[in-house]
Amino acid sequence: MRHLMNPMDLSIEELDDLMKVANDIEKNPSKYAHACDGKKLATLFYEPSTRTRLSHEAAMLNLGGSVLGFSEASSSSATKGESVSDTMRTISCYADICAMRHPKEGAPMVASIHSSIPVINAGDGGHQHPTQTLTDLLTIHTLKGRLDNMTIGLCGDLKFGRTVHSLIQSLTRYHGIKFVLISPEELRLPSYIRKDVIEENNIPYEEVITLEDALPELDILYMTRVQKERFFNEDDYLKMKDFYVLNKEKLKLAKDDMYVLHPLPRVNEISVDVDDDPRAAYFKQMQYGVYIRMALILFLLDIHVE
Ligand code: CP
C-alpha cells in the first residue's frame, strides 16, 4: 500500500505515468467514468480549503466513486480530544482512500502510520502540499511541453508557502532548472529548503526583492499569497500582504511565452486585469488539479484503465 506525503515519494517515472493518465483523462473522460465504482474517498480537512477538498471529491465522483468526510475540525470528534491516529483507524473502516489536510506539520504522516488505506497529504502546516505540486507540474508540462531547461520565478511568501517548498523539491530532479526567489527579507525561503534542497543539488538560484527586475528572464512565474494564518501577529501580516501586486502593466516586462501560475486562493497579489491575458494560467491550473487527482486516486488504489 502506498501513501502520498511528499511529492518525492513518487519516482520520476511514476510522475510521468500520472501525467500521461491525467492528459488521457482530459481527452477521454468517459473512459474513466466507472473506474472507481463502489469505492469511497474520505476527505478529512482540519483546516479550510476550497480547491483541494472539492477537487479530490470531484475527482472521485468523476471516477464513479463516492465521498464522505468533514470540512472542519469543529464538526469532528477532534473537538472532544480524539487523536489523529484514532480518527484514522476509524476512517479506515469506512473508506478505501483518504485525503487529509491539517495545520500541524506531519499530522498526515502520523495518520498514515495508523491507516489501513492509502492516505494523501492534502497540505500539512507550512510543510508540504504534494497534490498541489502534481497539479503545478502537470500544468507546466502541458503548457510548456517540458519540465526541464526553465527559469522559474517564485514570488511572495516563500517562508510559509508549503506549495513553494514542495514544488522546488520536485523541480530539482529536472535538468537545466534555475530558480529566482522573489520575496521580501522577512518571507525568504527557509534555509532547510535553500541549503538542503537547492544548494545541495547544485541548482543555480538568485534571491531578489523586486519582481520587475526578475520578470524578463522567467519562463514560469509562480505567484503566492502571504499566508495570513501562519503569522503570529496581525501587524506583521499587514506590512507584508500587498508587497507584490502583479498587474497588466508589469506583465509587459515578461516574455510572450511565460506563464503565470498561482496555487490560489489569491488575495491582492494578482490584479484581476491579468486574468484575461493568455499567459494567466492559474484557472487552467485548477482544472488540471482534478485530472491529476483522478490519476493519483487510480494509482494509489492500483486501478488500471485500459
Ligand atoms: N491551492 C489550495 O490548496 O487551495 P485551497 O486552500 O482552496 O485548497
Side-chain angles (χ1 to χ4, degrees):
M1 188 178 62
R2 299 276 297 268
H3 306 287
L4 183 71
M5 293 296 119
N6 180 314
M8 303 298 271
D9 293 347
L10 297 166
S11 67
I12 293 213
E13 293 73 28
E14 287 170 335
L15 193 55
D16 283 348
D17 284 346
L18 281 184
M19 289 195 286
K20 279 190 195 126
V21 173
N23 287 139
D24 192 50
I25 287 169
E26 179 180 12
K27 290 192 197 89
N28 305 296
S30 59
K31 213 168 105 179
Y32 296 85
H34 295 287
C36 283
D37 278 356
K39 300 286 185 192
K40 295 190 215 65
L41 165 80
T43 50
L44 315 181
F45 276 60
Y46 294 82
E47 209 184 41
S49 165
T50 298
R51 273 146 296 272
T52 312
R53 184 173 65 86
L54 296 179
S55 64
H56 274 99
E57 295 188 358
M60 188 47 133
L61 294 171
N62 291 346
L63 292 166
S66 29
V67 297
L68 65 160
F70 53 82
S71 59
E72 50 189 42
S74 62
S75 65
S76 79
S77 285
T79 49
K80 301 171 203 160
E82 185 168 60
S83 66
V84 161
S85 46
D86 281 359
T87 301
M88 195 61 240
R89 285 187 182 98
T90 309
I91 299 304
S92 293
C93 304
Y94 304 157
D96 301 285
I97 183 166
C98 113
M100 176 182 283
R101 171 170 288 188
H102 203 287
K104 284 202 182 135
E105 303 182 355
M109 173 67 86
V110 171
S112 72
I113 293 165
H114 300 278
S115 177
S116 55
I117 60 173
V119 178
I120 299 169
N121 176 3
D124 60 329
H127 187 218
Q128 293 281 346
H129 193 344
T131 63
Q132 182 63 48
T133 298
L134 299 185
T135 302
D136 301 339
L137 295 177
L138 176 66
T139 307
I140 296 170
H141 190 264
T142 307
L143 296 177
K144 299 292 283 183
R146 65 184 197 279
L147 286 171
D148 54 6
N149 295 311
M150 265 186 281
T151 299
I152 315 262
L154 301 128
C155 176
D157 186 348
L158 309 189
K159 181 176 179 183
F160 297 117
R162 58 193 171 197
T163 63
V164 168
H165 305 164
S166 292
L167 183 59
I168 287 175
Q169 216 172 11
S170 291
L171 284 169
T172 56
R173 300 198 285 189
Y174 297 91
H175 295 293
I177 293 292
K178 178 187 170 185
F179 292 117
V180 183
L181 308 172
I182 310 155
S183 74
E185 293 280 347
E186 295 85 341
L187 297 178
R188 279 192 170 184
L189 195 69
S191 69
Y192 75 89
I193 303 284
R194 188 170 42 79
K195 287 197 178 134
D196 301 351
V197 178
I198 300 182
E199 292 177 9
E200 188 68 24
N201 286 288
N202 295 314
I203 310 289
Y205 76 97
E206 51 184 306
E207 291 187 298
V208 301
I209 296 178
T210 312
L211 174 59
E212 289 87 325
D213 291 346
L215 265 170
E217 70 165 314
L218 302 181
D219 298 302
I220 295 290
L221 171 61
Y222 193 89
M223 293 294 294
T224 61
R225 93 188 147 89
V226 176
Q227 303 269 309
K228 182 180 183 184
E229 63 275 31
R230 317 257 177 250
F231 278 75
F232 291 112
N233 80 66
E234 176 91 4
D235 286 347
D236 287 349
Y237 166 70
L238 292 174
K239 267 189 263 165
M240 292 293 123
K241 80 178 176 68
D242 293 325
F243 203 92
Y244 298 107
V245 180
L246 178 68
N247 57 26
K248 223 178 179 67
E249 197 55 32
K250 287 180 197 160
L251 205 53
K252 286 182 185 160
L253 297 166
K255 294 180 191 171
D256 290 342
D257 62 350
M258 184 201 79
Y259 286 103
V260 183
L261 273 66
H262 190 311
L264 303 178
R266 77 170 145 189
V267 186
N268 292 322
E269 60 281 353
I270 303 181
S271 160
V272 292
D273 69 9
V274 173
D275 292 355
D276 57 7
D277 190 291
R279 293 167 290 184
Y282 33 92
F283 296 134
K284 281 189 201 125
Q285 192 181 349
M286 279 190 312
Q287 181 63 57
Y288 288 128
V290 179
Y291 303 139
I292 200 73
R293 288 179 176 110
M294 288 170 74
L296 178 67
I297 289 170
L298 292 172
F299 171 77
L300 292 175
L301 290 178
D302 201 20
I303 293 173
H304 302 270
V305 176
E306 292 308 319

